[in-house]
Amino acid sequence: QVQLVESGGGLVQAGGSLRLSCAASVRTLSFSPMVWFRQAPGKSREFVAAISLSSGNTYYSDSVRGRFTIFRDNANNAMYLQMNILEPEDTAVYYCGASSAPVPRSLLHELRQYNYWGQGTRVTVSS
């Protein structure tokens, strides 16, 4: 059974940094993209970033591009999200997701493309 486990969330002041981790119970190369989504209170889950585990290509939402970096460690079946210059608007529960089938670039932002999810890790950014 595939399991994704996030860690690294916490409370940080605006302008600070956090690194989120996603540990997979299977070889990450068995996934097509892996992604980070987030869900703020009262809002829908939204796309944050994606990475192709074979090519290493990365994709970001406009709201985090230039501040967040997604990267992977296939040898350790892990994926990470380095978050810098955090803003109160980044406050959310962050979820690691993965797809066992290829996802077209134009559909990376769609929640329904991913069939595996972690339980989430909470990030709170204070102003």
Side-chain angles (χ1 to χ4, degrees):
Q1 184 176 353
V2 175
Q3 286 189 316
L4 301 176
V5 180
E6 304 96 333
S7 60
L11 173 64
V12 64
Q13 287 189 328
S17 298
L18 280 175
R19 177 176 293 184
L20 305 183
S21 301
C22 174
S25 61
V26 298
R27 292 179 67 239
T28 50
L29 283 173
S30 64
F31 299 129
S32 267
M34 290 190 75
V35 293
W36 288 99
F37 274 64
R38 67 186 180 186
Q39 187 165 13
K43 296 188 177 181
S44 302
R45 197 174 297 192
E46 66 173 4
F47 171 78
V48 175
I51 186 166
S52 166
L53 296 166
S54 55
S55 69
N57 289 340
T58 57
Y59 311 89
Y60 298 93
S61 68
D62 290 343
S63 62
V64 308
R65 187 177 295 111
R67 299 188 297 122
F68 291 10
T69 302
I70 186 172
F71 59 102
R72 89 281 197 210
D73 180 354
N74 289 336
N76 290 301
N77 299 324
M79 180 185 66
Y80 304 92
L81 185 69
Q82 177 66 41
M83 306 187 296
N84 297 329
I85 317 175
L86 282 161
E87 303 170 350
E89 293 73 22
D90 296 316
T91 294
V93 177
Y94 284 71
Y95 297 90
C96 166
S99 170
S100 53
V103 177
R105 180 176 177 178
S106 61
L107 300 180
L108 288 172
H109 64 287
E110 288 192 354
L111 194 65
R112 63 179 179 172
Q113 300 296 329
Y114 306 97
N115 48 338
Y116 301 113
W117 291 100
Q119 82 290 347
T121 186
R122 185 174 302 276
V123 172
T124 303
V125 184
S126 63
S127 57

